Amino acid sequence: MKRIVFLSILSFIAITSFAQQKNQLTGKITDAKSNSALPGATIVLVDMRLSTITDSTGNYIFKNVPNGHTAIEISYVGYSTIVEHIDINGSATKNYSLTASIIENEAVTVTAVASATSIKKAPIVVTRVNKAELLATPSTNIIDALSRQPGISQISTGPAISKPVIRGLGYNRLVVINDGIRQEGQQWGDEHGIEIDENSVSRVEIVKGPASLIYGSDAIAGVINIITTVPPANNTIKGNILTSYQTNNRQRSFFGNLGGNKNAFSWNLWGDYKAAADYKNKYDGRVYNSKFNEKNFGGYLGINSSWGFSHLLISNFNQEAGIIEGERDITGNFIKHLPGGIDVTPGSSDFNSIDPYIPYQHIQHFKAISENSFKAGKGRITLNLGWQQNKRTEFGNFDDPSEKSLQFLLTTFNYNTAYHFADKKGWTLTIGVNGMQQQNQNRGEEVLIPEYSLFDIGSFIYTQKTIKKITVSGGLRFDDRSLNSKNFIENGIQKFPGFNKNFSNVSGSAGLSYAASKYLTLKANFARGFRAPSIPELASNGAHEGTNRYEYGDQNLRSEISYQGDIAAEWNSDHLLLSTSVFYNSINNFIFYKKLESVNGGDSLVLSDGNLIPAFGFSQQNAKLYGAELKLDIHPHPVDWLHWESTFSYVRGRFNHAIEGNSNIPFIPAARWINELRAELLSKGKSISNLVAYIELDHTFAQKNAFEAYDTETQTPSYTLLNAGINGNVVRKGKTLFSIYLSGNNLTNKAYQNHLSRLKYTDVNAITGRQGVFNMGRNFSIKLNIPLSI
């Protein structure tokens, strides 16, 4: 609580200080062809967190703008976005002319690097997903929505729990950023998801590869930067009411958001309720205990002035999710365990309930963030501080439902500060320090990992320079992590010996982006990153519900070292978008888990809670991953409203030396090819506008390159899903009354198992002989979004 008070004071102390010259930035936004005004165009000063819209004559104005360097983004529906870097030193006027375009947001800014820049100028592969695209995508959580992007997959444990995977790497090999602070839950665990409400998300930036220097060691796969609250334009109050329903598992959500900005003071409040019953498919019927419910809320207070800005953000994630064990009786029906060792078959009320049964988990994640930017000399200082507490409780005792079988209490204090030098002859330079202090406590009846404390600190330097058509950028970083694991005695036996570990290393990145022509952009980047072993890899000793394995850690594990090269090209013309990227990632000391063999041959088994389960241990081996992503969007003239969009993702992972005759890295996603035919109509309709209808074939190839040594995983057959949808705005007098999104997924009701679904390895159905639980069957979704504006 003391830290929260400290963050609150820090966020608003600037209100009475930092008096500076009050600059104004004004201008006019027009159509490049007709020179007519564009009312309602959006102008954003990205680094200063300021935005506004043009009036009826196309004019805009920013007041109290601090001196300094910033990226400015100008966007308007149906036009190409403009992104420029400008220096503000006194009041100025900037006029811009936008060109009509079939593809919008071609040059959007990204902030998942040291300072804001455009995607075209970034040498690394970056994908940005906007709110409109998230609304049009039916999903059960935010990672499920992002898994449609090229190179992005998910490790799922039912609809409620999804973990992101970038180019075949997940868990602690990627970093999730939420509003400037790295999200720290228990991302090392299979059944731990991302504690962020999907309906609160404004946009997402995905950085692929170990090239984001400002977020520390673990990002050897990349960074997923999730931005929730964005201040509305000055002198406005805006928000939305969003409700949705999905037929398969009766998932429903109710979300409300309202925010305002007046005289440089901004605020925002949002709340969400989401719940779902058990989902179904044609092989399993209703999947018992796949239900979940969430009650989330958040908001912020902020001030923007001539000295910079200061924002205080609060969020609270609260989810109860069933743990799917997949146990069935001899008749093939799922089993519901009752107190006293009684087993029954679940009934209709059990499947339709939104309250999970034993075993289930309760996840609570509270977060307070202070985000600040201050003018300092000719440059500026950014300072982000965060305090978050993640409490995960697992209930698994059928005779005592209130018993906390496991409970992790993880407290993290994050800090991130950087000095951004003034632009000098096209050079931008940033130096910074960031890291975290973390502590884990065990409060449950069982203990899976030891209590520990961790301190992490890193320093970096990042620079970028544009020389005519070439933009070069890169930097260096040094990280040091200290880990103190506590001794633990259980029933007179030492379960966890105490130990201290220190991991340090150097990361670096260098690359360039070349605007070869008006339409063609070429990119190349090389990066070195590292990841320190996580506490479960070093010290775990136990099992928990839903994993069906007993894990042993290894204190002798070394840091993973990654060397990755990326080459990308994009052709973006009036009627064709073609982007492709290839990568090669060599990882020394790659950490993976495998089944342990007993001294007499066969699996090593451990007696846990009366059951014999296989034992797994962690090992290391040099490995390599390589692959490619492709996106094609054809919108031929004169039928510009018709789009054929195709995306393809492929990744292959191999150990340098075979293990038991198998060189495949475990749990690598299968290749995926999505083809969509989309019609975009009535862009300026008087009653219905921006009508979009699509039909889609989503094909996932067979994954035959499984790590079958020690029966760690199995191959997975291919499958194709047929999806379709339609969405649009209902308009009156030029104002959108509401937007509606209708979609149908898996229309043929295909029974399939994704290779990264953990439910694939639950019990065998004695009647059918099929192992595991299958993914969701046919599902129809409806969303209704009502914008609010005062």
Side-chain angles (χ1 to χ4, degrees):
M1 182 59 67
K2 291 181 179 179
R3 286 193 176 97
I4 298 176
V5 174
F6 169 71
L7 295 179
S8 301
I9 295 172
L10 180 65
S11 293
F12 292 98
I13 195 172
I15 295 177
T16 58
S17 60
F18 296 101
Q20 300 290 338
Q21 178 185 356
K22 295 183 178 181
N23 302 322
Q24 284 194 169
L25 178 64
T26 59
K28 187 172 185 178
I29 311 301
T30 57
D31 181 292
K33 186 175 181 179
S34 65
N35 203 35
S36 58
L38 294 178
T42 300
I43 304 94
V44 181
L45 302 180
V46 183
D47 295 296
M48 299 174 181
R49 303 296 192 273
L50 292 171
S51 68
T52 190
I53 57 176
T54 54
D55 59 20
S56 59
T57 61
N59 291 304
Y60 72 90
I61 182 171
F62 286 103
K63 297 180 179 180
N64 298 327
V65 181
N67 290 344
H69 183 83
T70 184
I72 183 171
E73 176 182 294
I74 305 96
S75 61
Y76 190 74
V77 175
Y79 288 76
S80 294
T81 299
I82 292 178
V83 175
E84 285 189 357
H85 286 261
I86 61 174
D87 290 294
I88 297 175
N89 185 17
S91 297
T93 299
K94 294 280 186 181
N95 299 321
Y96 295 94
S97 296
L98 300 184
T99 304
S101 174
I102 302 301
I103 297 180
E104 301 172 22
N105 296 325
E106 296 173 276
V108 294
T109 58
V110 296
T111 56
V113 290
S115 57
T117 186
S118 67
I119 286 181
K120 285 188 174 182
K121 289 186 176 181
I124 50 182
V125 180
V126 180
T127 300
R128 174 164 151 168
V129 184
N130 293 320
K131 183 70 173 182
E133 189 171 353
L134 292 173
L135 284 172
T137 303
S139 60
T140 58
N141 57 70
I142 182 60
I143 302 304
D144 183 37
L146 297 179
S147 66
R148 291 176 48 83
Q149 301 300 318
I152 310 301
S153 309
Q154 61 175 322
I155 297 170
S156 63
T157 312
I161 300 170
S162 296
K163 304 179 69 63
V165 175
I166 298 178
R167 292 175 167 177
L169 299 176
Y171 298 93
N172 284 56
R173 295 186 177 99
L174 63 83
V175 170
V176 175
I177 303 297
N178 184 210
D179 292 325
I181 292 296
R182 59 183 285 166
Q183 183 82 1
E184 283 295 315
Q186 285 128 20
Q187 58 264 30
W188 47 267
D190 285 313
E191 72 286 10
H192 307 159
I194 301 299
E195 307 87 353
I196 298 173
D197 186 285
E198 66 169 325
N199 290 329
S200 69
V201 176
S202 296
R203 75 173 188 270
V204 181
E205 298 161 355
I206 303 170
V207 181
K208 301 173 186 175
S212 190
L213 297 171
I214 62 173
Y215 294 120
S217 63
D218 297 335
I220 65 172
V223 172
I224 296 180
N225 185 28
I226 299 176
I227 296 97
T228 53
T229 52
V230 177
N234 194 30
N235 296 321
T236 62
I237 296 178
K238 290 192 173 184
N240 70 299
I241 297 173
L242 174 66
T243 182
S244 66
Y245 182 78
Q246 298 185 26
T247 60
N248 186 287
N249 60 349
R250 300 180 174 90
Q251 179 173 320
R252 74 293 312 243
S253 72
F254 303 93
F255 174 83
N257 169 66
L258 191 65
N261 192 339
K262 179 68 173 178
N263 296 330
F265 177 78
S266 58
W267 56 273
N268 172 268
L269 290 172
W270 61 267
D272 193 19
Y273 172 77
K274 183 163 63 174
D278 292 335
Y279 80 88
K280 64 182 178 181
N281 60 63
K282 73 176 184 179
Y283 281 171
D284 300 309
R286 293 277 175 194
V287 176
Y288 177 63
N289 215 24
S290 58
K291 54 181 65 67
F292 67 94
N293 63 76
E294 296 179 15
K295 295 175 282 290
N296 311 316
F297 67 86
Y300 81 95
L301 295 173
I303 185 167
N304 288 68
S305 191
S306 57
W307 47 261
F309 66 83
S310 184
H311 297 157
L312 176 66
L313 303 95
I314 300 291
S315 68
N316 187 76
F317 181 89
N318 192 326
Q319 180 192 71
E320 291 182 334
I323 295 176
I324 306 166
E325 295 193 312
E327 293 180 279
R328 296 177 173 91
D329 58 25
I330 58 173
T331 65
N333 292 315
F334 288 107
I335 297 173
K336 177 182 179 181
H337 298 291
L338 297 177
I342 301 173
D343 294 339
V344 299
T345 300
S348 171
S349 60
D350 296 317
F351 290 125
N352 292 326
S353 170
I354 62 172
D355 297 315
Y357 298 101
I358 301 279
Y360 74 94
Q361 57 182 338
H362 185 194
I363 302 99
Q364 297 164 281
H365 193 103
F366 178 82
K367 185 164 47 192
I369 299 171
S370 176
E371 182 187 31
N372 309 275
S373 177
F374 305 119
K375 181 182 180 300
K378 294 183 179 181
R380 62 186 177 92
I381 294 175
T382 55
L383 175 65
N384 290 352
L385 302 174
W387 185 85
Q388 52 189 317
Q389 186 176 80
N390 182 283
K391 181 163 65 173
R392 178 182 177 272
T393 308
E394 190 173 288
F395 300 89
N397 188 339
F398 301 101
D399 295 319
D400 184 4
S402 64
E403 179 186 277
K404 299 173 182 177
S405 300
L406 286 172
Q407 187 177 76
F408 305 106
L409 184 64
L410 184 69
T411 304
T412 306
F413 178 72
N414 304 88
Y415 60 94
N416 184 348
T417 184
Y419 185 77
H420 306 265
F421 289 85
D423 181 88
K424 190 173 183 179
K425 296 183 179 180
W427 281 104
T428 58
L429 177 67
T430 301
I431 59 173
V433 176
N434 56 18
M436 63 182 174
Q437 181 183 6
Q438 190 173 81
Q439 183 178 20
N440 178 69
Q441 296 176 312
N442 292 315
R443 296 185 175 181
E445 294 294 322
E446 303 172 15
V447 179
L448 174 64
I449 61 173
E451 295 189 340
Y452 69 89
S453 59
L454 178 150
F455 181 75
D456 188 89
I457 186 169
S459 59
F460 68 90
I461 179 170
Y462 184 89
T463 186
Q464 179 172 294
K465 167 72 170 177
T466 299
I467 309 169
K468 296 183 179 180
K469 295 183 177 181
I470 297 178
T471 300
V472 294
S473 61
L476 289 172
R477 180 185 180 92
F478 176 78
D479 282 281
D480 184 81
R481 175 171 294 181
S482 299
L483 177 67
N484 179 12
S485 181
K486 307 296 192 298
N487 180 66
F488 180 73
I489 304 295
E490 184 177 65
N491 299 324
I493 300 174
Q494 185 183 55
K495 185 170 186 178
F496 300 112
F499 64 88
N500 294 295
K501 287 282 186 179
N502 184 266
F503 301 95
S504 60
N505 221 304
V506 175
S507 304
S509 174
L512 62 86
S513 174
Y514 173 49
S517 70
K518 178 182 177 181
Y519 302 123
L520 179 63
T521 303
L522 304 174
K523 299 182 179 186
N525 193 76
F526 179 78
R528 182 190 194 273
F530 93 103
R531 180 184 78 92
S534 65
I535 189 70
E537 293 167 336
L538 292 168
S540 60
N541 185 359
H544 46 170
E545 298 289 343
T547 62
N548 197 35
R549 68 172 182 264
Y550 195 101
E551 290 184 0
Y552 291 102
D554 184 353
Q555 293 182 29
N556 297 315
L557 294 175
R558 295 167 293 172
S559 294
E560 296 179 340
I561 309 295
S562 169
Y563 300 91
Q564 178 162 317
D566 287 87
I567 299 175
E570 178 178 291
W571 178 273
N572 194 341
S573 64
D574 293 339
H575 301 286
L576 174 66
L577 168 65
L578 174 62
S579 64
T580 182
S581 61
V582 296
F583 69 93
Y584 184 90
N585 192 358
S586 175
I587 303 178
N588 296 336
N589 308 319
F590 183 86
I591 300 172
F592 64 100
Y593 65 78
K594 63 180 182 181
K595 275 188 179 180
L596 300 179
E597 291 183 307
S598 70
V599 294
N600 300 318
D603 293 339
S604 175
L605 301 176
V606 179
L607 184 63
S608 177
D609 294 331
N611 298 313
L612 287 173
I613 60 176
F616 283 73
F618 291 93
S619 185
Q620 290 188 292
Q621 168 74 269
N622 292 346
K624 54 182 175 289
L625 294 96
Y626 51 88
E629 293 113 32
L630 182 143
K631 181 176 182 178
L632 174 66
D633 188 345
I634 300 175
H635 34 282
H637 185 74
V639 286
D640 298 331
W641 50 268
L642 184 66
H643 290 248
W644 173 50
E645 187 173 296
S646 182
T647 61
F648 177 77
S649 304
Y650 171 80
V651 60
R652 181 80 164 92
R654 297 176 61 87
F655 292 114
N656 289 2
H657 302 286
I659 301 170
E660 294 291 313
N662 192 301
S663 61
N664 300 314
I665 292 177
F667 307 110
I668 296 295
R672 189 179 184 186
W673 187 22
I674 303 176
N675 284 279
E676 178 185 88
L677 188 64
R678 183 176 70 254
E680 299 179 354
L681 308 168
L682 304 176
S683 61
K684 298 181 180 179
K686 294 183 178 180
S687 299
I688 298 176
S689 69
N690 295 320
L691 182 67
V692 177
Y694 68 89
I695 185 168
E696 175 186 87
L697 282 178
D698 183 351
H699 179 74
T700 298
F701 291 81
Q703 180 52 286
K704 298 181 180 180
N705 300 313
F707 183 64
E708 298 177 282
Y710 317 110
D711 295 324
T712 300
E713 65 171 346
T714 60
Q715 297 184 21
T716 307
S718 64
Y719 56 89
T720 302
L721 306 180
L722 176 64
N723 310 316
I726 185 170
N727 56 74
N729 305 326
V730 175
V731 181
R732 183 180 180 184
K733 296 181 179 180
K735 182 179 179 181
T736 298
L737 299 180
F738 61 86
S739 303
I740 189 166
Y741 305 84
L742 303 171
S743 62
N745 277 20
N746 193 6
L747 294 176
T748 61
N749 203 26
K750 175 73 175 179
Y752 71 98
Q753 289 177 319
N754 185 279
H755 186 69
L756 298 187
S757 170
R758 293 182 57 251
L759 303 183
K760 181 171 176 271
Y761 299 98
T762 56
D763 287 352
V764 174
N765 187 326
I767 295 297
T768 65
R770 302 186 186 100
Q771 181 178 8
V773 173
F774 284 70
N775 288 73
M776 187 179 288
R778 184 185 296 114
N779 185 30
F780 294 98
S781 169
I782 180 172
K783 291 183 183 179
L784 181 68
N785 185 54
I786 304 173
L788 305 175
S789 180
I790 302 174

